[in-house]
Amino acid sequence: MALLSSWQIALLWLSWVILSLAAGADYYKILDVARTASEQDIKKAYKKLSRKFHPDKNKSPGAEERFVDIATAYEVLSDPKQKLVYDQFGEEGLKKSAQGQQHHANPFDMFSQFFGGGMREDQVRRGPTMMTEFEISLADAYTGNSIDFMLKKKVLCDHCRGSGAASDGDVKPCGGCNGSGVKYVRHQIMPGMFAQSQMTCDECQGRGKIIARPCPHCGGAKVLDHTAHYTLEVEPGIPEGHEVVFEGEADESPDWEAGDVVLKVRMKKEQGGWRRKEGSLYWRETIGVQEALLGFERNLTHLDGHVVTLRKDGVTQPGFVQQVKGEGMPLFERHKEHGDLFIEYTVVLPTSLSDHTKRALQDVFREGGHKAKTEL
């Protein structure tokens, strides 16, 4: 039997890897991330999808199964050793590396550890929503576009995970309230008579715990400033004032579940040129006296670069508006349909006339007037 060359061996190994990946679950696809995704991207994807498909919140068929798949994918891709095996040999490789046995964490326990609690609406405290306006060009609103932008926000310190302490051992019960978060104070009402009142512990601010040694990364603040990168998917025909929601992307805090980021889309105010009113587009075209009197044919370059031919026979009055069917804005969520384009014509008169031009015009008007009298 002939020995295989090194490149044939490599080809066989690559084929086996591809078949293995095809046969098993695609964890990257489950989390909707690229194979080059960073640890932060994987964590963010799990955070978003696990909330979306948690059975306590999502009652649609298949939500619980999807929730379990998301937890399994995150468990593998967030573990460097498992991720390395999976990237090389797929799900089958993971099973073989574990000698045929995979021990997955309970997806609900994983969720609770990640978020610090369940998804019951009466238990979850939501953080504030971040509202901001985002300006796009009319051309982007016409064609659609993917626009990258950055947003400054607070994120949990990745060193202490929001505890504010240098280590778990540095979080200790408050000595002032014995961990209860409240203090009881006695007040003398009159000689021999006292009243007892309850107040929030001023040493731990009611948390019941104090930090012996603050986290060196956040200084005990629990959160850090972070500039996050996002992509706004602009759909063709997006209306003025349309709101795009990025769920759970607002400021993070150990005291609440992050709220949403809401972008309100606005059109940039552009001087001259194109104007929009809902599904209609407006354009002001300037023509000369000769074109206004004798007719014309012009080419107008549209917002996406295609050419619209403007044609008018005979006399065009100043301020005349021409309607061009189907050349307006795409109708939002009905991309194959368009509104209309309205062209308003402005006639530019010359600032002065030569003697020759004056005589020629006088002859034309004199001849026109004579002809009109003859017809009468």
Side-chain angles (χ1 to χ4, degrees):
M1 180 182 293
L3 295 176
L4 295 175
S5 64
S6 58
W7 70 269
Q8 288 174 317
I9 294 173
L11 183 61
L12 286 172
W13 176 82
L14 180 60
S15 301
W16 179 82
V17 169
I18 293 173
L19 288 173
S20 297
L21 289 172
D26 188 341
Y27 292 148
Y28 291 99
K29 187 175 181 180
I30 290 172
L31 291 182
D32 194 23
V33 295
R35 298 188 71 84
T36 56
S38 65
E39 181 181 347
Q40 188 70 21
D41 292 334
I42 292 169
K43 184 181 295 184
K44 185 184 297 183
Y46 170 74
K47 180 179 178 181
K48 177 181 179 180
L49 293 174
S50 62
R51 278 204 313 265
K52 181 178 180 181
F53 290 98
H54 194 289
D56 287 352
K57 185 177 182 180
N58 192 328
K59 303 299 183 182
S60 61
E64 184 169 355
E65 183 180 348
R66 181 76 187 276
F67 177 75
V68 173
D69 290 342
I70 291 165
T72 302
Y74 176 70
E75 181 186 3
V76 172
L77 298 183
S78 63
D79 184 323
K81 292 182 180 179
Q82 291 192 68
K83 185 176 183 296
L84 181 62
V85 174
Y86 176 76
D87 286 345
Q88 292 183 340
F89 305 108
E91 190 179 29
E92 291 301 315
L94 281 174
K95 293 178 180 178
K96 291 178 181 178
S97 68
Q99 298 180 348
Q101 295 185 8
Q102 283 183 286
H103 302 284
H104 295 301
N106 184 312
F108 295 94
D109 290 344
M110 182 188 299
F111 184 90
S112 296
Q113 291 171 8
F114 193 92
F115 288 101
M119 279 296 294
R120 284 176 51 189
E121 295 296 333
D122 58 346
Q123 292 180 339
V124 176
R125 182 186 172 196
R126 293 275 292 178
T129 297
M130 296 175 63
M131 296 282 297
T132 184
E133 293 191 350
F134 194 91
E135 287 192 336
I136 63 173
S137 67
L138 188 55
D140 285 336
Y142 183 86
T143 60
N145 198 2
S146 296
I147 304 175
D148 295 327
F149 67 97
M150 295 182 294
L151 185 69
K152 291 183 178 180
K153 66 175 187 175
K154 302 286 186 182
V155 296
L156 291 179
C157 174
D158 55 5
H159 178 77
C160 66
R161 289 300 298 164
S163 71
S167 67
D168 293 341
D170 290 308
V171 181
K172 302 182 182 298
C174 174
C177 61
N178 295 321
S180 66
V182 295
K183 286 182 176 181
Y184 296 93
V185 182
R186 295 181 67 194
H187 302 278
Q188 183 175 356
I189 302 175
M190 60 182 66
M193 185 177 293
F194 295 87
Q196 182 171 277
S197 62
Q198 179 179 303
M199 60 177 290
T200 301
C201 178
D202 56 354
E203 296 180 40
C204 65
Q205 284 73 50
R207 294 185 176 90
K209 297 177 181 179
I210 59 171
I211 298 172
R213 190 162 56 99
C215 170
H217 289 258
C218 64
K222 304 180 182 181
V223 293
L224 295 169
D225 291 327
H226 176 68
T227 301
H229 295 256
Y230 300 96
T231 300
L232 173 63
E233 297 295 340
V234 178
E235 295 187 41
I238 189 169
E240 174 82 16
H242 181 72
E243 293 184 353
V244 180
V245 180
F246 293 81
E247 293 186 1
E249 293 297 336
D251 288 334
E252 296 179 4
S253 168
D255 300 325
W256 63 61
E257 179 186 332
D260 301 332
V261 172
V262 179
L263 294 188
K264 182 171 285 190
V265 177
R266 297 294 187 193
M267 301 296 128
K268 290 181 180 177
K269 296 188 182 299
E270 301 173 5
Q271 295 296 326
W274 297 93
R275 291 174 293 123
R276 174 191 185 181
K277 185 176 181 181
E278 298 178 351
S280 301
L281 281 175
Y282 297 84
W283 176 263
R284 183 175 287 110
E285 185 74 7
T286 301
I287 58 176
V289 174
Q290 183 176 339
E291 293 171 304
L293 295 175
L294 303 178
F296 60 87
E297 181 175 312
R298 286 190 171 196
N299 289 331
L300 172 64
T301 302
H302 212 301
L303 288 165
D304 64 347
H306 81 273
V307 175
V308 178
T309 300
L310 306 179
R311 184 182 295 107
K312 182 73 167 58
D313 297 325
V315 176
T316 301
Q317 296 288 345
F320 171 74
V321 177
Q322 181 182 16
Q323 183 177 2
V324 184
K325 292 283 189 180
E327 288 292 351
M329 290 293 294
L331 302 183
F332 189 54
E333 297 180 342
R334 292 184 292 166
H335 301 161
K336 293 183 179 180
E337 300 179 42
H338 286 69
D340 297 335
L341 168 63
F342 296 88
I343 311 293
E344 180 184 352
Y345 290 99
T346 301
V347 180
V348 177
L349 300 176
T351 56
S352 61
L353 295 175
S354 65
D355 292 339
H356 176 75
T357 302
K358 288 179 181 179
R359 286 193 296 270
L361 287 173
Q362 288 170 352
D363 292 340
V364 169
F365 291 132
R366 190 179 297 113
E367 182 180 346
H370 175 72
K371 183 178 180 182
K373 289 179 181 179
T374 303
E375 290 176 353
L376 290 172

